[in-house]
Amino acid sequence: MKTIKDFDFKNRKALVRVDFNVPQDENLKVTDNTRIVSVKPTVDKILSDGGSVILMTHLGRPKGEVSDQYSLKHILDEVASVLGRPVKFVEESIGDKAEQAAAKLLPGEILLLENLRFHNEEEKGDEAFAEKLSKLGDCYVNDAFGTAHRAHASTAVIAQFFPSTKFFGLLMEKELIAIDKVLHSGEKPVTAILGGSKVSTKITIIENILPAIDNLIIGGGMSFTFIKALGGKIGKSIVEEDKLGLAIEILEKAKQHHVEVYLPSDVVIADDFNNDAERKITEIGEIPEDWQGLDAGPKSREIFNDVLLNSRTILWNGPIGVFEMPNFAAGTIALGDSIAEATKLGAFSLVGGGDSVAFVKQFGYADKVSYVSTGGGAMLESLEGLELPGVAAING
Ligand code: AMP
């Protein structure tokens, strides 16, 4: 892996693609600065070598139009405060002003370019646009894992203009190592927990990870498609009727790969999809007609706990209950506890993909697992076995 660790940036101007697509409130103040915090080590390394940093990112979806709402000037103070240094700003990403600002940059200084998506060419992966950007620096660093699954001008196309001076930033390196542990190099037993609402969105992931894992825990809404396919009564629980055959196929494939599959054995059911609905616990395949399963039951939690405490590598994607409703969050909280405990015992745990990342942050598990991925789509595509364009561009 070509990372910035192997390069001396002294007197170099590094063009660093970051993902500062941060959430903002109605006054455009940054409400979660995780994405800025996570690239600080990369910026620090380049500056401490005696180089300078030109940060480029997109923010929101301005669709090729210049707009005040999506200007990066609104996040400038937060960027400077997180990086702990002054940050210069130029109100364009290509053009005379950008060139002058980049030319004037001294070692130890940081420049932030205006939103790349003010130009349609960015998302189109336009080569001429990428070439103009490339003129601003003399080496290229990609530390934008969150957009690494996009073949955009600044995330992939630009790399060709730096055949021997293109590198992964430290955040990209961490993300790629974490995925590699789950898919290739991690200690066994490897356990994957897949939850969430639908099996259809996770099929490619399941197929890709089966050769790499030892245990597969299937929870949440998607488990009911499996339970029904196996002949269980699921009442009004969420189900994908057209995926029943596929569920059986997945279970057969798991057997061929000697993967032990754990479905919930009991379930918290409700008479309505509502936090205040009446609740009961039943065996998983015995849900009465008008009821629906909304959380893993206590027996299931215990079984999952045993599997996790005996695992050395853990991947978690997707909640195993409707954790957004407090009365149906206990199963996912118990799972978080088990993963935290396994991590304490020395397992490597990776949490990746939308809702489980939201869960670990909201419920305070982010520091109790080994790694929380910063990229939703990019993480899922990596788990599907796809090579991300942003990764291929540096490796190629
Ligand atoms: P996904 O986006 O497919 O990963 O699904 C995440 C969503 O699945 C979360 O919003 C959960 O509330 C939801 N979910 C988890 N378990 C269930 C369930 N038993 N019934 C309905 N939705 C569920």
Side-chain angles (χ1 to χ4, degrees):
M1 213 192 289
K2 273 165 38 186
T3 86
I4 60 168
K5 280 185 192 149
D6 311 320
F7 192 68
D8 184 355
F9 286 86
K10 190 169 168 52
N11 292 325
R12 294 288 197 147
K13 276 187 185 133
L15 258 173
V16 185
R17 180 44 158 112
V18 292
D19 180 2
F20 286 174
N21 186 27
V22 288
Q24 291 163 285
D25 65 16
E26 61 282 6
N27 299 317
L28 304 176
K29 258 190 91 74
V30 177
T31 54
D32 180 349
N33 63 14
T34 310
R35 288 184 159 170
I36 305 171
V37 172
S38 42
V39 300
K40 188 173 188 301
T42 291
V43 172
D44 286 348
K45 143 79 181 159
I46 296 168
L47 296 181
S48 73
D49 277 1
S52 55
V53 170
I54 302 169
L55 296 170
M56 48 180 186
T57 181
H58 73 286
L59 175 70
R61 293 172 187 264
K63 303 206 170 112
E65 304 264 324
V66 175
S67 93
D68 182 72
Q69 182 191 351
Y70 294 114
S71 171
L72 294 178
K73 69 182 181 204
H74 301 298
I75 70 164
L76 184 63
D77 287 350
E78 186 68 22
V79 173
S81 143
V82 170
L83 297 181
R85 306 168 193 260
V87 176
K88 299 184 169 179
F89 176 66
V90 57
E91 69 259 26
E92 57 182 32
S93 51
I94 55 164
D96 291 346
K97 284 183 196 159
E99 280 167 27
Q100 282 163 18
K104 273 197 262 165
L105 206 62
L106 299 172
E109 291 186 334
I110 306 170
L111 171 68
L112 175 66
L113 304 179
E114 182 55 289
N115 196 336
L116 293 163
R117 289 196 188 167
F118 284 175
H119 296 267
N120 268 325
E121 294 91 331
E122 163 65 359
E123 286 183 86
K124 284 194 188 130
D126 184 83
E127 221 176 280
F129 177 70
E131 190 173 14
K132 280 184 202 151
L133 282 174
S134 76
K135 303 274 188 235
L136 301 176
D138 54 25
C139 48
Y140 171 67
V141 175
N142 190 346
D143 214 18
F145 184 70
T147 36
H149 58 316
R150 307 284 185 217
H152 293 170
S154 68
T155 61
V157 181
I158 191 172
Q160 66 189 282
F161 301 107
F162 301 95
S164 58
T165 50
K166 51 182 182 176
F167 309 94
F168 291 115
L170 301 175
L171 171 66
M172 280 285 266
E173 183 185 12
K174 264 202 266 179
E175 296 273 0
L176 297 177
I177 289 174
I179 295 162
D180 189 71
K181 278 196 179 152
V182 171
L183 293 182
H184 304 290
S185 59
E187 255 183 83
K188 289 183 156 293
V190 181
T191 298
I193 310 139
L194 294 182
S197 53
K198 290 182 176 172
V199 62
S200 52
T201 56
K202 312 270 159 109
I203 297 161
T204 329
I205 294 182
I206 299 178
E207 287 180 343
N208 186 52
I209 63 177
L210 279 180
I213 62 176
D214 303 289
N215 305 304
L216 174 61
I217 294 176
I218 299 176
M222 67 187 261
S223 63
F224 297 106
T225 299
F226 288 86
I227 300 298
K228 177 153 187 182
L230 292 168
K233 292 197 181 83
I234 61 162
K236 284 206 303 197
S237 305
I238 188 171
V239 65
E240 287 174 278
E241 294 285 351
D242 61 332
K243 297 289 181 289
L244 298 176
L246 185 88
I248 297 295
E249 267 174 47
I250 289 175
L251 294 177
E252 271 161 16
K253 272 194 195 152
K255 217 179 258 170
Q256 285 162 19
H257 286 285
H258 307 289
V259 174
E260 204 68 57
V261 177
Y262 298 87
L263 284 156
S265 57
D266 61 349
V267 61
V268 181
I269 56 171
D271 62 353
D272 194 14
F273 190 81
N274 178 335
N275 188 49
D276 302 319
E278 201 173 318
R279 280 173 290 157
K280 283 199 277 196
I281 291 165
T282 61
E283 294 299 302
I284 188 85
E286 293 172 20
I287 302 179
E289 242 171 58
D290 281 337
W291 292 66
Q292 53 191 300
L294 294 185
D295 196 10
K299 257 196 299 179
S300 312
R301 297 173 204 168
E302 230 164 89
I303 294 168
F304 297 167
N305 182 60
D306 286 346
V307 175
L308 289 164
L309 294 192
N310 285 304
S311 302
R312 299 294 298 162
T313 303
I314 297 167
L315 163 72
W316 181 23
N317 170 260
I320 60 164
V322 187
F323 75 93
E324 298 91 339
M325 299 191 218
N327 284 337
F328 304 100
T332 307
I333 290 173
L335 185 79
D337 286 340
S338 302
I339 298 173
E341 182 65 22
T343 310
K344 228 193 221 170
L345 294 172
F348 173 82
S349 53
L350 165 64
V351 183
D355 279 303
S356 26
V357 171
F359 174 85
V360 294
K361 285 188 180 167
Q362 191 183 330
F363 286 79
Y365 290 96
D367 296 333
K368 297 178 180 161
V369 297
S370 311
Y371 193 68
V372 182
S373 175
T374 59
M379 170 57 66
L380 298 181
E381 286 193 20
S382 307
L383 294 174
E384 285 174 356
L386 301 171
E387 190 181 20
L388 310 178
V391 174
I394 302 283
N395 283 338

